[in-house]
Amino acid sequence: MDPLPDAILQYILSRINNARDVAACNCVSKRWKDSMAYIRTLYFPRNSFDNPSLRESPDDIVKRMVSMVVRLEELVVYGPFSPSGLASWLSLVGMSLSQLELRMDNLADNQASHESPSKLDCIGAARNLESLKLWGVLMMHSPKWDVFQNLRTLEIVGARLEEPVLTVVFQSCPYLRRLKLLGCEGVGSISIDLPYLEQCKLDFYGLGNCSLTLSSPKIESLEVQGCSWIRVPETQHLRNLSISNSAGRVYMVDFGNLPALEFLTMRGVQWCWDAICKMLKMASEVKHIYMKVEFTGDYEALQPFPEIDFVDFFNNHPKLRKFDIHGAMFAALCQRNSLKHVDPGFLIPCLEEVVITVRSPLNAEQKMSTLESLLKYGKNLRTMVIKILQMKSSHSSADDFFDEICRLRYMNHGIVRIE
């Protein structure tokens, strides 16, 4: 590489970001060391400070390396550091940083909640950030931040937090476009008022009884896990919606009109039937439904789904292209009366793919009738996947049912397959 002009060498070496590789390149020659000053990203993985022969502390190592860079734009630190160390780095490169990612690792550190300034407070020095990602963070006291005018992406993974602290954080990030709160605990009720938010993913640990109110008129994608009450009044632009609750039950969903909704996912052990009906009714324009809800019921008792009319369901979802359903929803569609009086002109106009998970041989005749009706009325159906999941029965009906499914596959071998 010696014959290369300085500008080309700088361009090539600026693509290196791992701290160990940067340190190795600094030892090659003075010309290489001078070129390394033009890197844009520094990444310190967890093993960056594993060498016991080093006499410098992790804080000093990071400070020395960031001080050598002319204009650092992205800093990622997964190794240990102190609040004073973080403050010293950001005093050098805070104004140029656009992306900052830190593994805080202070979830179990009770002393961390009394530090002043805290690690969270120190982040305020990077006032030009466009993206901030934090891992394993204790948020018991509100950070002393000014408004981040340029911050568009905020991700917090693994956090113990208080609700008032979240409110202060959101007030400091009024121009967010993308928000992720994953694996967070300590929240009972959360209210998000971010007028520019477009993508939001929330995952709360605990009993699954959180309540959420989201006021973001530009929201396009929303994924929520662990909430029982969800209210999103402004949904004109919402295209992707996923609601799941693996620990509790979903009691109430309150959305505005959903004219742009294309993808709907509903998961959980138990949903109140009113919430299911309301969600399906509002999602009349949806193109893809994934539904894996095991039971319904308004109280502790787990109830099976009531009957759902096959014809009415597809008439109410005329744009549906992909339908992925688990056993309970499929069983609800397989009712004896649904297909008795079908209008001769009935069609499922847009359906292209069906994925059905079958767990029980009960009502095998109705289930086979429903599968055959999907093939008969779905004129554009290209794929039907039938998943046989843990079907256990000592009765011969399970074998007979499976034989019927195999016959269906044989008769429609270009469309039907069994998994």
Side-chain angles (χ1 to χ4, degrees):
M1 293 171 67
D2 285 347
L4 293 177
D6 288 345
I8 301 298
L9 181 63
Q10 290 170 9
Y11 179 80
I12 294 172
L13 296 181
S14 70
R15 301 290 170 167
I16 298 173
N17 54 41
N18 188 290
R20 286 182 178 270
D21 297 335
V22 171
C25 290
N26 281 331
C27 299
V28 173
S29 67
K30 182 178 184 303
R31 185 170 179 242
W32 276 45
K33 184 175 182 179
D34 293 341
S35 297
M36 295 309 298
Y38 296 95
I39 62 174
R40 300 295 179 89
T41 300
L42 259 178
Y43 165 54
F44 293 85
R46 286 190 70 85
N47 63 354
S48 298
F49 313 110
D50 288 352
N51 191 337
S53 65
L54 295 175
R55 297 181 180 179
E56 289 180 292
S57 69
D59 288 343
D60 292 336
I61 294 172
V62 177
K63 183 178 180 180
R64 173 170 54 80
M65 295 192 69
V66 300
S67 67
M68 297 168 55
V69 182
V70 173
R71 183 178 175 81
L72 191 66
E73 296 180 358
E74 181 178 0
L75 177 62
V76 180
V77 181
Y78 286 166
F81 62 89
S82 67
S84 59
L86 178 59
S88 67
W89 317 334
L90 296 183
S91 67
L92 297 171
V93 298
M95 297 305 293
S96 65
L97 278 183
S98 61
Q99 300 182 59
L100 178 62
E101 184 170 353
L102 301 172
R103 190 174 188 115
M104 308 288 274
D105 276 348
N106 61 354
L107 277 175
D109 188 358
N110 292 323
Q111 183 180 353
S113 63
H114 303 291
E115 292 174 336
S116 183
S118 66
K119 290 180 180 180
L120 278 177
D121 293 337
C122 297
I123 293 172
R127 60 188 64 182
N128 293 319
L129 284 179
E130 297 175 9
S131 174
L132 174 61
K133 300 179 181 180
L134 304 175
W135 297 72
V137 55
L138 184 67
M139 303 179 70
M140 309 305 290
H141 301 285
S142 301
K144 298 172 183 176
W145 291 349
D146 292 327
V147 173
F148 289 99
Q149 298 287 344
N150 300 324
L151 193 64
R152 300 295 182 264
T153 300
L154 175 63
E155 295 185 14
I156 299 176
V157 181
R160 280 171 46 208
L161 40 82
E162 297 284 346
E163 295 156 27
V165 177
L166 268 184
T167 301
V168 172
V169 169
F170 294 148
Q171 290 172 349
S172 302
C173 314
Y175 304 109
L176 281 181
R177 301 285 195 274
R178 292 164 292 278
L179 172 65
K180 286 186 180 181
L181 302 177
L182 307 180
C184 297
E185 56 181 318
V187 176
S189 176
I190 179 172
S191 179
I192 301 174
D193 187 358
L194 294 169
Y196 301 98
L197 191 66
E198 297 174 356
Q199 300 174 25
C200 182
K201 186 173 184 178
L202 308 173
D203 177 14
F204 300 112
Y205 280 165
L207 300 176
N209 58 355
C210 296
S211 66
L212 167 68
T213 300
L214 176 67
S215 299
S216 300
K218 295 187 176 182
I219 192 73
E220 296 179 1
S221 176
L222 175 61
E223 300 179 45
V224 183
Q225 151 62 27
C227 287
S228 290
W229 295 270
I230 303 170
R231 184 173 183 270
V232 187
E234 299 176 272
T235 54
Q236 290 293 317
H237 303 285
L238 189 62
R239 295 179 60 251
N240 176 51
L241 175 60
S242 175
I243 301 173
S244 60
N245 196 334
S246 57
R249 64 180 62 84
V250 177
Y251 283 109
M252 187 274 289
V253 290
D254 183 8
F255 288 82
N257 294 327
L258 297 168
L261 191 66
E262 296 183 6
F263 302 91
L264 173 63
T265 298
M266 303 166 66
R267 299 171 182 258
V269 176
Q270 184 181 13
W271 281 49
C272 291
W273 186 243
D274 284 347
I276 293 176
C277 292
K278 192 172 183 179
M279 199 70 258
L280 291 175
K281 183 178 180 180
M282 289 186 293
S284 59
E285 303 295 310
V286 73
K287 296 178 180 177
H288 180 178
I289 293 179
Y290 178 93
M291 191 165 180
K292 187 180 178 182
V293 180
E294 304 283 352
F295 300 98
T296 184
D298 294 337
Y299 303 103
E300 296 294 331
L302 301 176
Q303 301 290 335
F305 281 25
E307 182 175 330
I308 297 176
D309 189 272
F310 180 91
V311 175
D312 287 347
F313 177 84
F314 286 104
N315 280 338
N316 292 332
H317 300 88
K319 298 181 180 179
L320 191 61
R321 293 182 182 175
K322 183 174 180 180
F323 195 28
D324 192 331
I325 52 174
H326 207 66
M329 180 65 178
F330 178 55
L333 284 168
C334 300
Q335 301 299 325
R336 188 180 299 276
N337 297 323
S338 289
L339 297 166
K340 272 191 174 181
H341 307 289
V342 180
D343 190 293
F346 171 69
L347 287 176
I348 307 175
C350 298
L351 192 64
E352 298 176 355
E353 183 177 354
V354 177
V355 181
I356 298 171
T357 301
V358 182
R359 301 186 64 172
S360 169
L362 295 177
N363 300 321
E365 183 180 347
Q366 288 95 307
K367 289 178 179 178
M368 290 306 305
S369 177
T370 302
L371 293 174
E372 291 166 355
S373 296
L374 286 168
L375 292 164
K376 177 180 178 181
Y377 297 112
K379 296 301 182 183
N380 293 311
L381 190 65
R382 297 182 301 186
T383 303
M384 175 184 285
V385 181
I386 303 173
K387 296 183 177 181
I388 310 297
L389 180 64
Q390 298 176 342
M391 187 184 294
K392 296 178 181 178
S393 175
S394 58
H395 197 272
S396 61
S397 61
D399 293 334
D400 295 340
F401 182 38
F402 189 73
D403 286 343
E404 287 296 306
I405 292 177
C406 290
R407 180 189 61 79
L408 184 74
R409 181 189 61 175
Y410 178 78
M411 299 296 293
N412 303 272
H413 62 276
I415 298 177
V416 180
R417 73 173 189 266
I418 300 172
E419 293 182 0

